[in-house]
Amino acid sequence: MKGTMRYDTKAPFHILAALTFVAACNGDDTATTESDSATSTATATATTTSPTSTAGTMTDTAGTSTTDDPSGTGTDSATSDSTSTTTGTTTTTSESESATSDATSTSGTTAVSASDTDPGCAQDTDCPDGQVCVDGLCEVPPECVEDADCGPEQHCSGGACLDLCQPGDDMMMGMVEDSYLWVANTDQGSISKVDTQALTELARYRSGPSGGTESPSRTAVSVDGRFVVVNNRGTGRVTMIAATLDDCVDKNNNGMIDTSQNPADLRPWDADECTLWSTVLPSEANVIGAGPRAVTWTLGTWNYDSCTYEEPKLWVGYRPQAGVAHMAKFDGLTGVVEETVVISPWAVGDTYWGPYGAALDKDQTVWFTGLRGNLYSVETGNNNALTEYPSPGGSQFYGMTVDPKGRSWTAGCTGPVYRYDPMDQSWTAVQGTGNSCLRGIGADREGQIWAASNGQCGVYQIDAEQASVIQFHALNPCSTPVGISVDAEGYVFVVDQNQGAWKIDPLNPNDKQFLPIANQHYTYSDMTGGQLKGALPQ
């Protein structure tokens, strides 16, 4: 599983998107009781749809939401100055053709000019073996016209049968060299970029113009690792940052990319050229619980020629008004809201909060939860059909994820870890995990689930098939573990709210490394893009 792997098919992407600015008021940033205000510069309209209350039943939602994104032929001519003669055959240039001859050719045989009308062939039998007659010329026929002309592991491209480039082949091998952990610095209004291999903080970027008032929390990374989005609970702002210089934009046209070079190099808002777009959602003003939290990318559409996913979408959950929640679908590369799924009534256990966590499964269905509420799904391939799944009695969901088999996992702050299997619509509690407040949760590629624990300060390692605890791992230093994410190599990262980040080898959990990171980190979600890699076609 480990090792250095490269991905050389990444196509550079340059984007010039105008940023949307918003002034926001001060607020109280805590994990449980928060208040703030947000000014909306985005407009959303949608048709309200009430989801069903039983698992397995889906109702379609309709409506759209848009957010302004202050975002030959040449002809050669010449004069014949001499007559070209040869010791063999002589060809004279026709009147319809111009040529330049600066010297007399004295040997060889001249080629037939393009103006000659000799067709070369009248039928296939006039051509050499392996060629056919096309418009009077002998040509090698294309190997294929459509995919059906090729083998089972090939497709037709430009008349040639090419081996299929599968997502699992290149994408899983992909972003190891450029693999990053993105940690929200909530009290600073910034996001840290951490090299997952060297375990080093490389840079910091502002998540919005209002400093700590932005209150960034959830971060999510695209499947190819090229982009990260960060949700700001305090202002309703969603901001995207490019991971590598190839995707940054020279906005001031000085011939270079002006961007953060180290953790202390936090540049003014709109001065860092790796910040690509920023959109403000119309979350309820003065209610920090309404700000955007739940977030996940979709994979996009696989291009077999370029071996990349194209046109990925981004889903973000927030609460525009009391009793109503939205899951907004963004164009991931421009920040424009394309569509909105409305959940009304938003009858979760704690209606102060909007959608709290989100993750994608292998069918590109978006799953999300409300804080201490129910589980929901949006089928992106079925007109965004919405379904609500009532939670087990006594559960208090906090963090959530989806494993590679499509099962949803939730961690409760006063309840156990739960597994929901959509195949038989069953809930299973993980015994031994109900004695502490659990926060973030993540699935690795070894068939294990990891849940951050605050009562006992550390992380639970859980067998996904047996739904049982393998081991509890104490961490030191440890104050408030919150986020869990799995990187491109399969390492598990645990982000502590007041300390920094732990890196754990899932095959040898006693192998732990710690990176101190300054500021407070109330950060959840897919901070590395590893959850999306678990959603790749198997």
Side-chain angles (χ1 to χ4, degrees):
M1 181 186 68
K2 307 291 188 299
T4 300
M5 298 174 283
R6 295 185 58 88
Y7 177 57
D8 296 324
T9 57
K10 179 179 68 176
F13 168 74
H14 294 286
I15 207 171
L16 185 54
L19 304 181
T20 306
F21 299 94
V22 62
C25 303
N26 292 329
D28 178 21
D29 176 32
T30 66
T32 56
T33 302
E34 307 164 87
S35 63
D36 213 316
S37 62
T39 301
S40 170
T41 62
T43 304
T45 59
T47 301
T48 300
T49 300
S50 299
T52 60
S53 298
T54 58
T57 303
M58 297 174 286
T59 55
D60 290 340
T61 64
T64 59
S65 172
T66 57
T67 300
D68 292 334
D69 183 23
S71 37
T73 302
T75 303
D76 291 333
S77 62
T79 303
S80 177
D81 296 328
S82 63
T83 300
S84 174
T85 60
T86 69
T87 57
T89 303
T90 301
T91 302
T92 303
T93 304
S94 67
E95 294 179 1
S96 62
E97 182 184 34
S98 297
T100 301
S101 175
D102 295 325
T104 300
S105 175
T106 58
S107 64
T109 301
T110 61
V112 177
S113 72
S115 64
D116 281 333
T117 59
D118 183 359
C121 65
Q123 55 189 355
D124 291 350
T125 55
D126 297 336
C127 298
D129 291 343
Q131 296 187 13
V132 294
C133 186
V134 179
D135 295 330
L137 298 175
C138 292
E139 297 181 355
V140 177
E143 186 177 4
C144 62
V145 176
E146 55 186 16
D147 289 349
D149 299 332
C150 300
E153 299 298 325
Q154 295 182 317
H155 76 121
C156 186
S157 178
C161 289
L162 303 178
D163 291 338
L164 289 178
C165 178
Q166 299 290 355
D169 297 338
D170 286 74
M171 299 301 291
M172 292 295 290
M173 302 279 291
M175 295 290 102
V176 174
E177 182 175 317
D178 294 324
S179 175
Y180 306 109
L181 170 74
W182 297 87
V183 179
N185 304 310
T186 308
D187 58 334
Q188 189 181 51
S190 69
I191 182 171
S192 292
K193 175 182 177 182
V194 175
D195 184 322
T196 61
Q197 291 186 305
L199 204 60
T200 304
E201 183 178 356
L202 301 177
R204 286 198 178 201
Y205 311 87
R206 295 190 185 274
S207 62
S210 303
T213 302
E214 297 289 345
S215 193
S217 176
R218 313 304 196 267
T219 62
V221 179
S222 59
V223 70
D224 53 15
R226 292 169 59 188
F227 307 106
V228 62
V229 292
V230 55
N231 284 345
N232 295 277
R233 304 169 300 166
T235 62
R237 179 182 296 276
V238 182
T239 299
M240 187 172 86
I241 299 166
T244 61
L245 294 180
D246 286 344
D247 289 312
C248 301
V249 176
D250 182 12
K251 300 174 186 177
N252 59 12
N253 297 312
N254 67 349
M256 60 183 293
I257 297 298
D258 299 313
T259 186
S260 175
Q261 301 298 310
N262 56 68
D265 185 15
L266 182 61
R267 307 204 172 193
W269 177 245
D270 201 25
D272 197 303
E273 293 180 331
C274 287
T275 301
L276 300 183
W277 58 256
S278 191
T279 299
V280 179
L281 293 168
S283 56
E284 186 177 3
N286 302 315
V287 179
I288 197 170
R293 282 175 173 75
V295 58
T296 184
W297 289 83
T298 64
L299 301 179
T301 302
W302 182 251
N303 185 318
Y304 287 101
D305 293 323
S306 64
C307 294
T308 58
Y309 275 105
E310 297 178 341
E311 300 181 355
K313 304 301 179 184
L314 179 74
W315 286 83
V316 176
Y318 65 101
R319 201 190 85 183
Q321 64 188 68
V324 177
H326 284 180
M327 287 295 290
K329 182 179 76 171
F330 287 68
D331 180 313
L333 301 183
T334 66
V336 173
V337 176
E338 298 180 332
E339 192 170 353
T340 298
V341 173
V342 179
I343 307 95
S344 179
W346 177 237
V348 298
D350 190 342
T351 58
Y352 178 82
W353 314 90
Y356 214 71
L360 190 77
D361 74 9
K362 53 188 174 59
D363 297 321
Q364 296 213 55
T365 294
V366 174
W367 295 81
F368 63 99
T369 58
L371 179 61
R372 307 180 183 95
N374 291 331
L375 177 67
Y376 297 81
S377 68
V378 174
E379 295 182 70
T380 62
N382 184 27
N383 297 317
N384 297 330
L386 174 71
T387 306
E388 181 179 3
Y389 308 85
S391 60
S395 62
Q396 294 197 15
F397 298 159
Y398 211 101
M400 72 87 59
T401 193
V402 175
D403 69 20
K405 292 189 175 181
R407 299 170 299 194
S408 293
W409 294 81
T410 59
C413 191
T414 61
V417 169
Y418 275 101
R419 180 186 71 192
Y420 178 76
D421 191 336
M423 296 299 293
D424 59 12
Q425 301 180 1
S426 65
W427 290 94
T428 302
V430 179
Q431 299 301 312
T433 59
N435 56 352
S436 66
C437 179
L438 304 176
R439 307 293 278 275
I441 189 168
D444 66 21
R445 295 195 291 273
E446 307 299 330
Q448 301 174 128
I449 305 298
W450 300 79
S453 172
N454 290 172
Q456 293 177 277
C457 203
V459 59
Y460 281 99
Q461 179 187 6
I462 298 168
D463 185 297
E465 295 306 314
Q466 301 300 319
S468 61
V469 174
I470 298 173
Q471 187 177 350
F472 179 82
H473 301 276
L475 301 176
N476 184 23
C478 186
S479 61
T480 310
V482 284
I484 300 284
S485 196
V486 179
D487 75 359
E489 291 183 288
Y491 286 97
V492 177
F493 280 82
V494 183
V495 177
D496 189 290
Q497 186 169 352
N498 300 305
Q499 301 291 336
W502 284 92
K503 179 180 180 180
I504 302 174
D505 183 347
L507 297 179
N508 180 18
N510 293 322
D511 179 7
K512 302 181 182 70
Q513 301 176 66
F514 177 70
L515 172 68
I517 303 175
N519 296 96
Q520 295 179 351
H521 320 293
Y522 188 66
T523 188
Y524 286 88
S525 299
D526 190 12
M527 299 174 282
T528 59
Q531 193 277 325
L532 279 190
K533 287 181 171 58
L536 289 170
Q538 301 298 307

